[in-house]
Amino acid sequence: MAGGKGTRLLALTKDEIPKPMTPVCGKPILAWQVEQLKVNGITDIVMIIGHLGHKIQDFFGDGRAMGLRIRYIEETSPLGTAGAFYYLRPMLAGETFLLVFGDVLFDVDLARMMRFHAEKKAKATLFVHPNTHPFDSDLVVMDEEDKILAFDSKNNSRNYWYDNCVNAGLYLFDAAVCGHVSEPVKTDLEKDLLSGMIQSGQAVYAYRSPEYIKDVGTVERIKVAERELASGYIAARNLRRPQRAIFLDRDGTINKKNGLIAKEEQFELEGCAAEAIRRINASGYLAIVITNQPVVARGMCGITDVERIHNKMKTLLGREGVFLDEVCFCPHHPDKGYPEENPQYKISCHCRKPDIGMIEDCAARLHIDLSQSWMVGDTTVDIRTGKNAGTHTALVLTGDAGTDEKYNDVPDMVCADLLEAVKKIIGG
């Protein structure tokens, strides 16, 4: 989708080039995108152009010089974000196509997203991720299987705790989806096409990944992206490369220890938590919560209650401009059994810390090198968990401060709180 006028980028485009040709580190956004597509084995590209579209055609031509096939759909009047699907239908040879918005910079292992799309038998798959400003972003609402239930517009009044999950502007579609656009009229991808598919129960899924994809539609965002490109941060986030993670305990580490937390009003962030996670976000490490939540097995609350508490955590952190890449929890208890209303939890559990099922699952999905990662928590259980998983370990003197004394493992370091631990881990 390369037809943007780029009003917010006039200081750079001077209305002499279209928005997708705005330079980032001396190269047009669109050229960065095309290079990424080629790296991922995508060589047949259709560019939907409009305002100053001839500048794009002059730059890329038919693509043969780059080993690509590039064709164009020129909109004589704006057709929104999906109206050009009408013209796209006869140009598609395969069963699936990728849609990229022309103002996003990305470095993504698309093969993983394609496997997800195929495994879910999806009609449409949206790349989603947490961001630093969920409070003014359109959010994606999903079920436990990652099927999208709704979009929550940033213009809505949000009087609830929400998951920090944002549509990133990268999509996989079955070619048949183009048939939903029966005439070349202005059509909004989200409001007119995807929302209709969701409401009719079609298979629209969210693919969540910590890889780098950002809207660079403002001058300030381009400046940030240029710094991130130059530092190697963007390329390092691609899941083809091994990742480093800081696994975080929740109670007593991120939030204040307040007994067994079964109600959202009991949850209160540690004063340093947002700043600590801000530093993790900027460092290139993944920020992943690993927490035992036996309140479910004890019958104190249900899975949805724990998820609501976690959404409070994500909302509060989002208000501070920070995010968690993953939140994993184990609802079991080794002694209390399992409530009759939750028979699905009557299983042999390898997730509950100090077992490492949650960490192993994250490591497999996100290509995490555990030997380069850390486990940070306030109990000896957390330290034993890190030792079992092969990570480095840090004990914080908040919460239980190691007084549980269940294990004798010695942490690699002891810190006053999460912020001190993160500073020592990342160096700064």
Side-chain angles (χ1 to χ4, degrees), residues 130-145:
N131 74 7
T132 57
H133 52 100
F135 47 84
D136 66 358
S137 299
D138 294 337
L139 300 178
V140 179
V141 182
M142 306 168 294
D143 68 13
E144 64 278 2
E145 299 296 328

Side-chain angles (χ1 to χ4, degrees), residues 196-392:
M197 293 175 65
I198 292 166
Q199 290 169 11
S200 63
Q202 296 188 51
V204 180
Y205 281 86
Y207 171 74
R208 186 163 180 149
S209 170
E211 293 168 292
Y212 188 97
I213 176 167
K214 285 188 180 178
D215 172 354
V216 288
T218 68
V219 174
E220 182 54 39
R221 289 176 188 172
I222 284 182
K223 290 179 180 178
V224 172
E226 288 182 325
R227 293 195 296 268
E228 291 172 331
L229 272 168
S231 70
Y233 174 86
I234 293 178
R237 298 288 284 196
N238 189 298
L239 290 183
R240 283 192 292 267
R241 298 173 180 241
Q243 302 296 304
R244 298 177 299 168
I246 299 179
F247 295 101
L248 304 167
D249 173 55
R250 197 193 83 179
D251 301 324
T253 303
I254 291 177
N255 60 281
K256 294 181 179 180
K257 191 80 172 181
N258 192 11
L260 290 172
I261 296 178
K263 298 178 181 179
E264 61 195 66
E265 53 266 29
Q266 296 174 275
F267 184 94
E268 182 182 357
L269 288 174
E270 284 282 353
C272 68
E275 180 57 28
I277 295 168
R278 187 189 322 281
R279 290 172 182 251
I280 298 175
N281 292 159
S283 71
Y285 280 89
L286 302 179
I288 300 176
V289 171
I290 302 291
T291 177
N292 290 343
Q293 290 301 313
V295 286
V296 177
R298 286 173 176 265
M300 298 171 64
C301 68
I303 291 287
T304 56
D305 298 302
V306 175
E307 290 173 342
R308 189 179 301 111
I309 292 167
H310 285 159
N311 283 345
K312 179 177 181 178
M313 175 171 62
K314 295 173 187 177
T315 302
L316 294 176
L317 290 172
R319 289 175 182 172
E320 299 296 325
V322 304
F323 60 86
L324 298 164
D325 292 289
E326 291 275 350
V327 176
C328 304
F329 70 94
C330 175
H332 304 101
H333 190 283
D335 304 318
K336 297 296 180 181
Y338 306 94
E340 288 301 321
E341 63 269 23
N342 291 325
Q344 67 267 35
Y345 300 124
K346 294 181 179 179
I347 58 175
S348 176
C349 175
H350 301 288
C351 297
R352 180 179 169 82
K353 295 182 295 185
D355 281 335
I356 60 173
M358 289 184 283
I359 290 180
E360 285 184 325
D361 176 66
C362 289
R365 287 187 293 107
L366 302 177
H367 196 186
I368 296 171
D369 181 351
L370 294 176
S371 70
Q372 299 298 312
S373 299
W374 286 78
M375 178 73 215
V376 181
D378 67 311
T379 67
T380 62
V381 172
D382 296 313
I383 304 308
R384 172 59 66 90
T385 303
K387 299 287 186 182
N388 287 344
T391 71
H392 303 287

Side-chain angles (χ1 to χ4, degrees), residues 147-213:
K147 188 175 183 180
I148 297 178
L149 303 176
F151 298 111
D152 183 3
S153 170
K154 61 186 177 184
N155 299 317
N156 292 341
S157 176
R158 293 180 185 153
N159 57 353
Y160 68 98
W161 307 117
Y162 51 81
D163 187 6
N164 181 350
C165 188
V166 178
N167 181 12
L170 186 69
Y171 309 79
L172 274 172
F173 287 108
D174 276 11
V177 169
C178 289
H180 290 282
V181 183
S182 58
E183 54 184 329
V185 296
K186 194 168 186 177
T187 306
D188 185 89
L189 178 63
E190 188 172 294
K191 294 178 182 178
D192 299 326
L193 182 57
L194 289 170
S195 291
M197 293 175 65
I198 292 166
Q199 290 169 11
S200 63
Q202 296 188 51
V204 180
Y205 281 86
Y207 171 74
R208 186 163 180 149
S209 170
E211 293 168 292
Y212 188 97
I213 176 167

